[in-house]
Amino acid sequence: MSHRTVLSFALLAVLVGGIQGCTTIQAGSSNTLPSSAFFAVDATELKSLQAIAHAQDSRMKNCHKGPACEDAYYTRGLVALFENRADAITVFQELHTAMPNSRYEAATTGWLNLLQDMAPSSKHHQALMVQLKQEVLHNLLERSDLTALRTVNDHDRRVAELK
C-alpha cells in the first residue's frame, strides 16, 4: 500500500474520530450490532472483498512481522469493515498489539477509536462516513485489480519463457 494511501486512511480515520469526539451529543446505544458490517456494500463488491479477505488470511498465517505482515493485517482489517465490525476491531487490535511500531499505527488507532465509538451520528459525520467508505472500497478494489493484473502478467511471462 502506498505511503499516500496509508496517510489518506489515517487522516480520514483521525478526522472522523476527531469530529465525533468534538460533538456535544451524549453517547447512547448504537443501532449497529457488533456482528454487522461497519460499511454496507452490494453483493458484487462483497464477493470481490471476500476474495481479498481470503488472500489476506493466507498471508497472515504465513507471516510473522515486517512490512508484508503489516500489509496483510491492515488490509484484512479494512476488508473486515465491510463484513463484521467485531472482526475489524479484532484484526486492527492484533496489528496494534503485535506490531505497535508498524507504519499503519496511526491509521489502526484511528480505526479502533472510530469502530468503538457508540455516539449517534450527525449529518456531517454521516457524509464523512460515506466519503470514507468510498475511499476504502476504491483502494481495496483497485489494489485487488492490480494484484490480479500482476498475476496474469507473471503467468504470461512464465509461459513465454517456456516457449
Side-chain angles (χ1 to χ4, degrees), residues 41-161:
V41 290
D42 66 38
T44 305
E45 292 168 327
L46 185 58
K47 186 175 180 180
S48 296
L49 291 170
Q50 288 171 337
I52 296 169
H54 180 71
Q56 300 316 307
D57 288 339
S58 295
R59 289 178 64 201
M60 289 165 57
K61 288 177 185 174
N62 297 318
C63 71
H64 300 287
K65 289 193 179 182
C69 201
E70 292 172 9
D71 287 344
Y73 273 85
Y74 188 71
T75 301
R76 185 62 184 98
L78 292 176
V79 172
L81 295 169
F82 298 92
E83 298 173 324
N84 183 303
R85 180 189 202 113
D87 288 348
I89 291 170
T90 299
V91 174
F92 286 131
Q93 188 61 51
E94 287 174 7
L95 175 58
H96 176 73
T97 302
M99 295 165 262
N101 297 318
S102 83
R103 63 183 181 270
Y104 299 111
E105 181 58 23
T108 298
T109 301
W111 281 116
L112 286 169
N113 289 334
L114 186 60
L115 289 166
Q116 295 172 29
D117 186 9
M118 297 297 174
S121 300
S122 67
K123 287 188 186 252
H124 180 69
H125 170 75
Q126 290 171 353
L128 286 172
M129 293 304 290
V130 168
Q131 181 182 359
L132 181 59
K133 172 191 168 186
Q134 292 304 318
E135 181 73 21
V136 172
L137 186 60
H138 171 76
N139 281 302
L140 284 170
L141 296 177
E142 180 180 276
R143 186 172 350 140
S144 174
D145 289 345
L146 290 174
T147 301
L149 180 61
R150 275 188 235 125
T151 302
V152 168
N153 288 341
D154 289 346
H155 174 65
D156 291 347
R157 186 178 57 237
R158 279 189 234 123
V159 169
E161 290 171 356

